[in-house]
Amino acid sequence: MMLTVADAYALVLGTVRDTGTEIIPFEKATGRILREPVLADRPFPPFDRVMMDGIAIRYDSFARGQRVFVVEDMQAAGAPQLQLSNTANCIEVMTGAVLPELTDTIIQYEHLQAAEHEGFKRFTVKHPEKKGQHIHRMGSDVKQDAVLLNSGVLLGPAEAGVLATVGKTSVLVSKKPKVVVIATGNELVPVTAQPEPHQLRMSNVYSLSASLEQMGIEATVLHLEDHAESMLHQLKPLIADTDVWISSGAVSAGKFDYLPEVLRQLGMEQLFHKVQQRPGKPFLFGAFTDGPVVFALPGNPVSGFMCFYRYVRPWLQEAMHLNPVPPLYAVLSEKVHFDPNLEYYIPVKIESQPHGKLVAIPQPYQGSGDLASLILADAFMELPADQTDFKKGDSFPIWKFR
């Protein structure tokens, strides 16, 4: 029985296994998934911080009508805190410096007139001022021991800055799964070869490997010829030492599509074969009890590519404990008609419009073998099986690959 996309997706996610964790230097953690909470080791900011170059005063003196302040000292950023000895005076301050003790207000240089009098530098205030202005108060951003980063966060440039700020030199992250990407077919030759008229260079596996690379996952590439015994011989040693197999081809109804039977002989439990979708209908999925999960994707390039982003990537994200990513939606730029009772994934170009909506522009598409159509697109739009006519302006989910 052919499954709906929803049922197939549920079965795929039902097999998710934790990839495990490892501790790595924080400098190497960009692109990895955090597996521990990160706390503030002190308040943010850790002191009352000066926000403008100027002078620090005691506001009570200004409130009493004083407008001329004699400079006692200079408080530089990175220097220990100074103390105002006479509240009728001021201390010059630089942006980022700690607020001098016994001061409570900053007046920027633009509101001051500088002068020398009897060997002392002094400033005259030329502008109305407010008590407490231009001070970034200690702990106003984050309190000490507050959670800054939660487990499941994808670590990027902003998170790298947070890790450095709290002195988190080593960080617990998800391990990357061991993945094998498998090409099948006697018609395939290496990329470096000059193919005969009846041959093709291997390409699907490199698209899939590049998709994994986008996630920071390196894969081993393997080529299987259309020979059952050879397939068994090459795949059997990989069962104990890999987490995920992603294959391309040999899962349809052809005379040389041996892969489904070979996988069963190796001990894989087949969870489904064929899904109510186009492209990607022949998709086969299964799992070994003590071995990898297997995504046996159709050989047509668009089919396998779509299945990766619809099924494989979500499985990998969940296995590495990435926090759930909310679905993206876009509106159709033009009407689409599709008759078969299948969920339809159409290549689209996504544009952001001034009114704030994402618009999906269908791209010329000649079927699941049309690899070139993907160059013009950056997502698949998911059109439900219970409709045949999809109107301009209707909103549907999209699965981005750029």
Side-chain angles (χ1 to χ4, degrees), residues 263-274:
L263 291 171
R264 282 191 289 270
Q265 288 183 37
L266 289 168
M268 184 200 78
E269 178 190 1
Q270 181 176 299
L271 297 176
F272 62 79
H273 188 188
K274 295 187 179 178

Side-chain angles (χ1 to χ4, degrees), residues 12-140:
V12 166
L13 293 191
T15 68
V16 168
R17 297 100 176 259
D18 191 334
T19 59
T21 60
E22 61 182 339
I23 296 174
I24 63 173
F26 87 99
E27 302 97 327
K28 304 292 185 183
T30 300
R32 303 294 292 273
I33 297 167
L34 183 67
R35 293 294 293 276
E36 61 175 328
V38 174
L39 310 182
D41 64 332
R42 55 181 184 160
F44 283 18
F47 50 80
D48 288 340
R49 176 180 171 273
V50 174
M51 297 176 65
M52 301 283 282
D53 295 334
I55 63 171
I57 66 167
R58 186 79 172 178
Y59 188 79
D60 289 347
S61 299
F62 182 85
R64 289 193 296 268
Q66 181 181 336
R67 294 296 180 269
V68 179
F69 294 86
V70 174
V71 176
E72 286 187 3
D73 211 332
M74 169 75 75
Q75 180 76 67
Q81 186 182 36
L82 299 174
Q83 184 182 60
L84 188 66
S85 62
N86 184 341
T87 56
N89 295 336
C90 70
I91 293 177
E92 279 194 84
V93 291
M94 300 294 104
T95 301
V98 62
L99 181 70
E101 197 173 351
L102 300 183
T103 68
D104 60 10
T105 301
I106 304 299
I107 304 175
Q108 64 263 48
Y109 282 132
E110 291 84 352
H111 291 182
L112 301 169
Q113 182 175 339
E116 293 281 344
H117 181 70
E118 297 180 351
F120 291 97
K121 186 177 182 180
R122 61 184 187 176
F123 287 97
T124 301
V125 182
K126 305 181 298 179
H127 192 278
E129 309 296 337
K130 294 181 180 179
K131 184 177 181 178
Q133 67 186 14
H134 307 315
I135 299 169
H136 193 181
R137 292 294 180 183
M138 181 176 72
S140 60

Side-chain angles (χ1 to χ4, degrees), residues 49-258:
R49 176 180 171 273
V50 174
M51 297 176 65
M52 301 283 282
D53 295 334
I55 63 171
I57 66 167
R58 186 79 172 178
Y59 188 79
D60 289 347
S61 299
F62 182 85
R64 289 193 296 268
Q66 181 181 336
R67 294 296 180 269
V68 179
F69 294 86
V70 174
V71 176
E72 286 187 3
D73 211 332
M74 169 75 75
Q75 180 76 67
Q81 186 182 36
L82 299 174
Q83 184 182 60
L84 188 66
S85 62
N86 184 341
T87 56
N89 295 336
C90 70
I91 293 177
E92 279 194 84
V93 291
M94 300 294 104
T95 301
V98 62
L99 181 70
E101 197 173 351
L102 300 183
T103 68
D104 60 10
T105 301
I106 304 299
I107 304 175
Q108 64 263 48
Y109 282 132
E110 291 84 352
H111 291 182
L112 301 169
Q113 182 175 339
E116 293 281 344
H117 181 70
E118 297 180 351
F120 291 97
K121 186 177 182 180
R122 61 184 187 176
F123 287 97
T124 301
V125 182
K126 305 181 298 179
H127 192 278
E129 309 296 337
K130 294 181 180 179
K131 184 177 181 178
Q133 67 186 14
H134 307 315
I135 299 169
H136 193 181
R137 292 294 180 183
M138 181 176 72
S140 60
D141 293 344
V142 176
K143 304 298 182 187
Q144 184 169 342
D145 296 325
V147 177
L148 298 173
L149 300 174
N150 286 298
S151 180
V153 167
L154 179 64
L155 296 170
E159 290 77 15
V162 169
L163 294 173
T165 297
V166 302
K168 186 72 173 170
T169 57
S170 297
V171 60
L172 187 72
V173 298
S174 293
K175 280 185 178 178
K176 299 176 184 180
K178 294 180 180 178
V179 181
V180 179
V181 179
I182 303 165
T184 65
N186 293 342
E187 74 278 14
L188 300 180
V189 297
V191 175
T192 53
Q194 179 60 50
E196 299 291 338
H198 60 281
Q199 295 177 322
L200 298 169
R201 291 189 181 94
M202 283 191 287
S203 59
N204 292 359
V205 287
Y206 294 106
S207 291
L208 294 169
S209 295
S211 298
L212 289 164
E213 227 174 277
Q214 283 183 331
M215 303 179 68
I217 299 171
E218 296 178 3
T220 301
V221 173
L222 178 68
H223 178 209
L224 301 180
E225 294 184 350
D226 293 325
H227 187 276
E229 287 300 319
S230 176
M231 285 182 172
L232 280 164
H233 177 73
Q234 289 181 264
L235 290 175
K236 190 172 183 178
L238 301 177
I239 295 173
D241 194 38
T242 51
D243 301 306
V244 179
W245 293 357
I246 307 170
S247 66
S248 174
V251 290
S252 295
K255 299 290 185 183
F256 299 98
D257 289 337
Y258 299 121

